[in-house]
DNA sequence: GTCTATATCGCGATAGAC
DNA sequence: GTCTATCGCGATATAGAC
């Protein structure tokens, strides 16, 4: 059972994550976080010893996607659809973390460790794709790099729609964006 | 002929752009820019009346891509290849500007005006693609959104490779990245 | 056109009482 | 576990001499 302290710590983290992904790390002040969490700055520093500490904590995944299916019997096309859906679900469920990671990793490279250590676990669908690449059923392609690109594309499109007020929340993936991604990945476009 | 002042102004701008895209706007101080341009901060403020001013100036395009071909006779596949090559060339030649734009636009939405006003001019290849979408030769797709996604993907992949030291310069597009983009766009993958 | 000096502010972080 | 008060610093921007 969580103590009062645990709850406070969690509340601070939730506020920090929210601010980091909406305003960016540099533009968020510790005073703002403390205010949001209804606590003094001094008290906050008992839970997290620095702002950087809070950044690291804020990119840890909060939701996980189950992936226990057997993909070996699927056609290439079915596999791709499953793989994409799985990938999108994982990203969508942890979108704030992905946005912080991709926005701040150049400046704070230690964050990228989190990406590889916790987000880029290979799913069964990934492994099946890798296998088919090896056997020549898919062309050779760096899957990690490709996933990085897909996330970059997703985030850029969401931000674009938010800036032009065609979408009002950074924390969900608009249908239009999913549409573009699916079209491109499945090769429906330009063929 | 450029006066001494013109040259100084240009030098300040070049240094600022370089720092903004490598370190980010917030993390770059005006002192740093002035030092890099071998001038005092006070003098710098005679040329640009604020740091934000400098940000706006730093995202203006510096290189332009000629596009005078006639694309109407090309096959779909040839058109796609031309379109992608043209697009990549434009992005690569103005990569610092794109990186600043895509990194800072959420925080400073006035920047996005620059994107639509100066970078997103429709090329002849774009127009030909649009035409074929209308006539049903390509599936319906928001081309602006798609280009935003492609740039986001490109930048994310470059940053990833730089962070993991597989590429050493934010200012060029590694062959691996071009490879992934071309594969995806041309629909060679997953088909 | 450029400088030195400085105003003013907000930031991250801490001291120490309760 | 939480607070008020404050330190020290570096930031943007300006005043005014040369």
């Amino acid at each position: 059972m969580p103590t009062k302290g645990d709850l406070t710590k969690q509340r601070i983290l939730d506020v920090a994550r929210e601010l980091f992904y909406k305003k960016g790390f540099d533009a968020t002040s510790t005073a703002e976080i403390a205010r949001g969490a209804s606590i003094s700055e001094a008290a906050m520093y008992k839970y997290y010893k620095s702002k950087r500490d809070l950044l690291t904590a804020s990119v840890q995944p909060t939701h996980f996607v189950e992936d226990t299916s057997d993909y070996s019997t699927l056609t290439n096309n079915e596999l791709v659809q499953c793989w994409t859906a799985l990938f999108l679900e994982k990203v969508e469920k942890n979108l704030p973390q992905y946005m912080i990671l991709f926005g701040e990793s150049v400046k704070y490279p230690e964050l990228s460790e989190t990406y590889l250590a916790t987000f880029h676990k290979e799913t069964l669908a990934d492994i099946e794709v890798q296998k088919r690449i090896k056997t020549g059923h898919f062309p050779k392609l760096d899957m990690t790099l490709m996933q990085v690109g897909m996330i970059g594309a997703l985030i850029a499109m969401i931000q674009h729609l938010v800036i032009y007020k065609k979408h009002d929340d950074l924390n969900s993936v608009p249908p239009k964006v999913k549409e573009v991604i699916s079209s491109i990945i499945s090769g429906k476009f330009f063929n």
Side-chain angles (χ1 to χ4, degrees), chain A residues 105-139:
Chain A
S105 277
V106 176
K107 219 179 298 173
Y108 309 101
E110 76 268 23
L111 289 185
S112 53
E113 296 310 316
T114 292
Y115 177 70
L116 284 195
T118 67
F119 283 106
H120 196 62
K121 291 254 169 63
E122 273 172 1
T123 62
L124 294 174
D126 282 322
I127 291 165
E128 181 62 29
V129 170
Q130 300 275 18
K131 209 164 78 188
R132 295 193 192 188
I133 289 179
K134 258 191 199 140
T135 55
H137 292 84
F138 283 140

Side-chain angles (χ1 to χ4, degrees), chain A residues 53-162:
Chain A
D53 230 49
L54 215 31
L55 176 62
T56 307
S58 74
V59 292
Q60 300 308 314
T62 46
H63 296 88
F64 299 88
V65 174
E66 289 296 327
D67 172 39
T68 52
S69 313
D70 174 26
Y71 298 100
S72 61
T73 61
L74 299 181
T75 65
N76 277 358
N77 206 303
E78 287 165 343
L79 174 58
V80 169
Q81 295 208 1
C82 282
W83 180 86
T84 307
L86 215 64
F87 175 77
L88 284 177
E89 191 192 344
K90 187 175 70 170
V91 175
E92 193 164 13
K93 282 189 172 166
N94 297 280
L95 197 49
Q97 288 94 323
Y98 277 103
M99 287 207 177
I100 298 168
L101 271 174
F102 276 65
E104 314 289 349
S105 277
V106 176
K107 219 179 298 173
Y108 309 101
E110 76 268 23
L111 289 185
S112 53
E113 296 310 316
T114 292
Y115 177 70
L116 284 195
T118 67
F119 283 106
H120 196 62
K121 291 254 169 63
E122 273 172 1
T123 62
L124 294 174
D126 282 322
I127 291 165
E128 181 62 29
V129 170
Q130 300 275 18
K131 209 164 78 188
R132 295 193 192 188
I133 289 179
K134 258 191 199 140
T135 55
H137 292 84
F138 283 140
K140 262 199 166 137
L141 214 51
D142 183 328
M143 293 297 289
T144 302
L145 193 60
M146 186 181 147
Q147 293 197 20
V148 166
M150 280 177 63
I151 301 168
L154 192 94
I155 292 173
M157 287 189 280
I158 295 175
Q159 290 180 341
H160 176 87
L161 291 176
V162 169

Side-chain angles (χ1 to χ4, degrees), chain A residues 20 25-26 28-30 45 49-55:
Chain A
F20 288 164
F25 178 73
D26 293 343
T28 301
S29 70
T30 49
Y45 273 92
K49 70 176 198 299
S50 71
K51 196 186 168 193
R52 283 285 273 272
D53 230 49
L54 215 31
L55 176 62

Side-chain angles (χ1 to χ4, degrees), chain A residues 9-21:
Chain A
K9 187 168 184 178
Q10 185 62 47
R11 206 172 62 242
I12 295 168
L13 182 60
D14 290 338
V15 172
R17 192 191 301 111
E18 183 91 0
L19 288 168
F20 288 164
Y21 99 87

Side-chain angles (χ1 to χ4, degrees), chain A residues 21 95 99 151-174 176-177 180:
Chain A
Y21 99 87
L95 197 49
M99 287 207 177
I151 301 168
L154 192 94
I155 292 173
M157 287 189 280
I158 295 175
Q159 290 180 341
H160 176 87
L161 291 176
V162 169
I163 288 171
Y164 290 104
K165 304 195 196 313
K166 291 171 183 163
H167 185 62
D168 42 42
D169 182 12
L170 274 175
N171 197 7
S172 68
V173 182
K176 244 186 146 176
V177 170
V180 172

